[in-house]
Every structure is written in C-alpha cells, then in structure tokens.
Amino acid sequence: MGRFSMMRNQASRLLLCGLAVGLALSLSVPVSAAAASVNPSSKKAVLQAADPVPQIYARVSPSVVGIIGKAQGGKNTGLDNRYNLVHGSGVILTSGGWIVTNAHVIQSMQKATVVTSDGKSYSVTDYYADELSDIAILKINAAHLKSASLAGASSVKVGEKVVAIGAPLSFALRNSATVGVVSGSGRVVDASYRLLQSDAAINPGNSGGPLVDMNGKVIGIVSMKYSAVGVDNTGFAIPAETVRYIIKQLFTYGEVRRPSLGLELQQSWSSIVGLPAEDPLTVTKAVSAAARKADIAEGDELYSIDGHRVTSAVDINELFKSYRPGQTVQLLMQSGGDIVQRKLVLGEGDPIVGTDDGGSADDETEE
C-alpha cells in the first residue's frame, strides 16, 4: 500500500509537470505565431498611425503646383535669357483651375506657367493680386483638378505638427515636403497682417505653397517675403483666415476693397520693437475729408475703434477684415488733453493712410 501511494504521487508530479510545460507552450507559441502572422498591410497601418505625414502628403500633394516664368524686367533676347527665370509654388482652390499663391510670386514673372503634380503644364490666363496681404489668385484652363481645403478660423495650436510643400531652391524639386511644428501665431513681422511661424524648413521657391496640419487642412500660405536671409528654422505663413478673406474679395471685385480711416498714424516705439504695451497710435495727418469733418487733427491719439484696442497698423488691418467702406465707427481718442469720442465714416483704400493704391512699401521680390 505504501509502495502504491509512492508510485501514485510520482505519477501525479509527472502529470503536473507535463501540464505546466504544455501550458507554457500554449501561451508562448500563439504569441510568436501571431507576431509572425501579421501581414504587411497591418504593419503599414500601424506605421501610418504612428506617423501620419506620408498619408497627409499623399492627400495634399496633388493640390500643390509649381509656378515658373521669366523674371520681370529681364531681356527677351539671347540664349542666356532662357535661364532668366523665377519660380514659386501655389495651391489649387477649385477643380476648374483657380490657384492661390503669393502676390510677389506672380508679379515677379511674365509668361507664367503652372505645372501640376502629375507633370502637366498650363499657361496662366488671368490673375488678381493684393500686394498689401501678399496674396494672389490665378487662373489656368484646366478641369477636374484636386482642390485643397483651407482650415477653419482659430484652428491652429502652437506646437502642433505641420508639413510645408513646395518647390524649394530649384523648380526640379517641386512638391518637396518638410516637417516641423507651429512655433507661434499672431506674429507681426514686417507684414500687414498677423502671421504663423513655423520651424519647418522653408526656402526660396516655397513661397505660395501650403503649410498643412495633420488633418490635411491648409492652415497657411507660405510667404518667404517675411523671412530674413540666413535665418534657419524661422519661416512664416499667411493664416488661412486671412487668405480666405482676401480671395473672397479678389473673386468678387478683382481687388480688395478695404475700409480706411483716412488717417496717417504713427506707432509707439514700444509697439515697433515688440515690447508689450498699450500705447495709443498718434495721428500725424488727417488725410480724408471725413476724418477732418470728424474733428480729428494732427497730434490726436487713437486708443480704440468700436471698443477694440489698437496699438499698431496690424491691429487695424485685422479688425477691418470684418468691416466695409461706408460703415460708421466710433473712435476713442485723446485730443487736446481730453478723452473724446469721434464718429467716423470709413472711406476706401489703405486702412491707415487713406490712399487708393492699396500697395505695400515693401518691394522685395524674393521667392
């Protein structure tokens, strides 16, 4: 009986060992087998989820074009004239051939040609440009193009990942992509409107191309016009909200009909150098008859327009995106040492100098 119990215990131990080994094998084999059985398409999906940039590029790149033409003012004779070219980038707005780019891109060239991502070439048949914002729209005779989608207002977050697509340095490098983040928003950098800042590599030729978020939306139009030569990782783009405002007016009127205060104004030193300040704008001249009729004179100081504090020309330009010529605004001012309210009927032209040229004093043509 003792011997039988001993044999039964040994058998039980052997059985338990066998069960343990079998359990271990049953747990380990399926894991390794599952890992080995993952198909390539599943691996690709995992990689895309980890990095959406290739997918974003594939979606947006067909909506990005290269724009090339002879430099304005160049000679039209001689063999060397063949290489006297300038180029930039653009974004398809409609399937019927309307494209947005920078004003300084299209205005710097003659006999402009657009090349789409599939290698097809089209002559530019018409364009409308706004120098103050550096935005232009141009037309080519094409159909069934893939249009890009502009992002909504206030959708940009500092630190979010972005892709810049364009033709840097050489026209042969069309539809090149660089990746970075939004470094800042609302930047005032020698521009009439606030800009987006990004550390995505941007070079001459990227001008007019898109800055794209991870939803595949165009959050801005790159403008090298505002990037200093020799500065790395500091590029700027015109926000989609401003682009939408400008192109709507260009489509409607062929120009941007801006409201104007009819005043020449001077910013404070603090505002010019970028210090945080709420110094008023100083009137250096009442240009329009409406401004003089409102009893505004040289030396008066402007604090706000319809309750909105303004300390720079950019503040006024941004505010006036929601105004039209002919509207009446209320100005909070200081005149002769007194705080006063002035009602002013807005004219049309440059928002702060009351002229009709709507142009910019900046004549740079860097692409």
Side-chain angles (χ1 to χ4, degrees), residues 68-151:
I68 191 168
K70 291 184 178 180
Q72 286 282 7
K75 296 180 181 179
N76 292 319
T77 59
L79 291 176
D80 289 341
N81 183 58
R82 294 177 300 167
Y83 304 104
N84 187 22
L85 304 171
V86 291
H87 78 274
S89 305
V91 181
I92 297 171
L93 289 173
T94 69
S95 61
W98 280 103
I99 293 164
V100 63
T101 185
N102 288 143
H104 78 269
V105 168
I106 191 64
Q107 290 181 326
S108 69
M109 60 181 69
Q110 51 186 323
K111 296 182 179 179
T113 297
V114 169
V115 179
T116 53
S117 63
D118 58 3
K120 294 180 180 179
S121 298
Y122 303 87
S123 296
V124 174
T125 60
D126 200 5
Y127 78 87
Y128 303 98
D130 179 60
E131 292 184 20
L132 198 64
S133 64
D134 197 28
I135 288 293
I137 56 174
L138 57 86
K139 182 70 169 65
I140 59 175
N141 288 328
H144 309 297
L145 299 175
K146 184 177 181 181
S147 60
S149 179
L150 293 177

Side-chain angles (χ1 to χ4, degrees), residues 185-215:
S185 62
R187 300 302 199 201
V188 180
V189 189
D190 191 27
S192 298
Y193 293 92
R194 299 192 183 280
L195 303 175
L196 296 174
Q197 179 186 343
S198 173
D199 69 349
I202 292 172
N203 294 286
N206 276 111
S207 288
L211 192 65
V212 184
D213 66 14
M214 292 298 100
N215 294 314

